Amino acid sequence: DAKTTQPDSMESTEGETVHLPCSHATISGNEYIYWYRQVPLQGPEYVTHGLQQNTTNSMAFLAIASDRKSSTLILPHVSLRDAAVYHCILRASGGSNAKLTFGKGTKLSVKS
Amino acid sequence: DMKVTQMPRYLIKRMGENVLLECGQDMSHETMYWYRQDPGLGLQLIYISYDVDSNSEGDIPKGYRVSRKKREHFSLILDSAKTNQTSVYFCASSFGVSGNTLYFGEGSRLIVV
């Protein structure tokens, strides 16, 4: 799987909209962009994923650059519960080699 | 209810003892995984299982083995635990292997003294 680059940490305030960037300059055509988040003492939780088009769900909006070399996870109106480590991961589709490789992620702090 | 359950949640063992970590899922997922996570590091893949008795090494398999005799159950075994295997272990499952969402358990915290 190609590598991703994320900032180590970001800070925000409750109610703000947060933009979490991820760079994946060597992404392959069959690789999906996945976002997971993890809070202390719990396992990672799926947030969203996409291939080429922007996607949205109840948790977040994923904006994917037209060249697919970067993406941004947008969290609207964050609350204290959104404080977590956010992982941007590439995962190839198909075949037995499809597996996730987690890096250190971005630690998002939210203050009241 | 989609759930991955890990047992035990906390475990302390002496060096050289055997360790059994168990994982169950209620989603009939074919694929299951074992990861470990250490402070300041991301998750490292230990083993993948594609179905019953169909297991494959991940990135750090040394010192570990796995067993999958039923689709819903996946075990991680440490024969003669070492202190450097102190870690948090996460089990996960997914429907198929074609890039679908992983569901994670809450983790098993192992301390080897």
Side-chain angles (χ1 to χ4, degrees), chain B residues 3-92:
Chain B
K3 196 172 177 66
V4 177
T5 304
Q6 294 185 230
M7 291 291 290
R9 296 289 314 280
Y10 303 91
L11 189 61
I12 300 176
K13 286 286 193 178
R14 296 186 185 279
M15 196 166 55
E17 290 185 327
N18 298 333
V19 177
L20 173 64
L21 302 181
E22 304 199 79
C23 175
Q25 48 97 359
D26 60 2
M27 298 167 277
S28 297
H29 284 167
E30 298 104 326
T31 311
M32 297 186 74
Y33 312 75
W34 276 107
Y35 290 88
R36 66 176 281 177
Q37 186 175 39
D38 301 296
L41 299 178
L43 278 81
Q44 298 174 272
L45 180 64
I46 305 172
Y47 268 95
I48 299 177
S49 174
Y50 298 104
D51 212 327
V52 172
D53 284 331
S54 178
N55 307 318
S56 180
E57 293 181 347
D59 298 321
I60 53 162
K62 187 176 180 182
Y64 304 94
R65 62 183 174 93
V66 291
S67 174
R68 185 129 180 245
K69 298 302 181 184
K70 294 182 180 180
R71 176 171 281 190
E72 64 270 20
H73 193 75
F74 190 34
S75 300
L76 180 69
I77 302 131
L78 288 67
D79 295 314
S80 187
K82 301 173 180 55
T83 55
N84 62 7
Q85 291 178 308
T86 293
S87 189
V88 180
Y89 292 86
F90 288 101
C91 175

Side-chain angles (χ1 to χ4, degrees), chain A residues 32 34 36 38 40-46 49 87 91-104, chain B residues 9 33 35 37 40-43 45 48 50 57-59 90 94 96-102 104-106 109:
Chain A
Y32 286 80
Y34 275 76
Y36 282 78
Q38 186 177 18
L41 305 179
Q42 291 188 25
E45 176 189 26
Y46 168 81
H49 76 282
H87 298 276
R91 182 163 186 181
S93 63
S96 61
N97 293 321
K99 60 185 181 184
L100 291 176
T101 301
F102 284 76
K104 295 183 183 180
Chain B
R9 296 289 314 280
Y33 312 75
Y35 290 88
Q37 186 175 39
L41 299 178
L43 278 81
L45 180 64
I48 299 177
Y50 298 104
E57 293 181 347
D59 298 321
F90 288 101
S94 68
V97 296
S98 57
N100 288 307
T101 304
L102 266 65
F104 283 85
E106 292 189 316
R109 284 148 187 84

Side-chain angles (χ1 to χ4, degrees), chain A residues 80-91:
Chain A
L80 296 176
R81 290 178 297 176
D82 292 315
V85 176
Y86 286 80
H87 298 276
C88 170
I89 301 151
L90 303 182
R91 182 163 186 181

Side-chain angles (χ1 to χ4, degrees), chain A residues 1-87:
Chain A
D1 293 337
K3 287 195 65 176
T4 62
T5 302
Q6 299 177 254
D8 290 338
S9 62
M10 293 184 68
E11 293 185 350
S12 64
T13 303
E14 272 194 302
E16 286 183 341
T17 296
V18 174
H19 291 72
L20 299 174
C22 182
S23 173
H24 27 80
T26 58
I27 188 170
S28 299
N30 69 339
E31 286 184 313
Y32 286 80
I33 302 157
Y34 275 76
W35 284 83
Y36 282 78
R37 70 181 185 183
Q38 186 177 18
V39 298
L41 305 179
Q42 291 188 25
E45 176 189 26
Y46 168 81
V47 177
T48 190
H49 76 282
L51 182 64
Q52 194 159 6
Q53 304 298 322
N54 296 340
T55 62
T56 188
N57 62 18
S58 61
M59 294 177 72
F61 178 81
L62 176 60
I64 301 173
S66 56
D67 62 5
R68 302 213 320 129
K69 293 185 177 182
S70 65
S71 59
T72 302
L73 184 71
I74 300 170
L75 305 174
H77 310 297
V78 293
S79 69
L80 296 176
R81 290 178 297 176
D82 292 315
V85 176
Y86 286 80
H87 298 276

